[in-house]
Amino acid sequence: NLLSTPVEDIDYSKWLLGFAYCGTACAIASGSLASRCVLESYGIFTFMFSTVIYPVISCWVWGGGWL
């Protein structure tokens, strides 16, 4: 459990790797949406993807979840 782990025991390299993967996934979506949507809607998509969708999916795949 991340909340009960002492701060000095947390491996921040895994967090940084996940951050880089999330940024890359948003950049791939940006390439497919280029000149097809408004900047505000892309900003909303990126916010929702990086705060709701990506953490759930990555926890399922790499966090010992069901995938």
Side-chain angles (χ1 to χ4, degrees):
N1 189 352
L2 186 61
L3 296 176
S4 65
T5 305
V7 175
E8 55 271 352
D9 292 340
I10 297 175
D11 186 11
Y12 289 106
S13 63
K14 290 181 182 179
W15 182 88
L16 187 62
L17 182 67
F19 182 76
Y21 279 145
C22 183
T24 302
C26 287
I28 290 171
S30 166
S32 67
L33 293 175
S35 73
R36 292 185 181 93
C37 70
V38 193
L39 182 62
E40 290 83 13
S41 60
Y42 175 68
I44 293 170
F45 165 77
T46 303
F47 176 77
M48 293 299 294
F49 183 83
S50 61
T51 58
V52 177
I53 298 169
Y54 185 82
V56 172
I57 299 298
S58 65
C59 184
W60 283 347
V61 174
W62 291 294
W66 59 276
L67 289 180

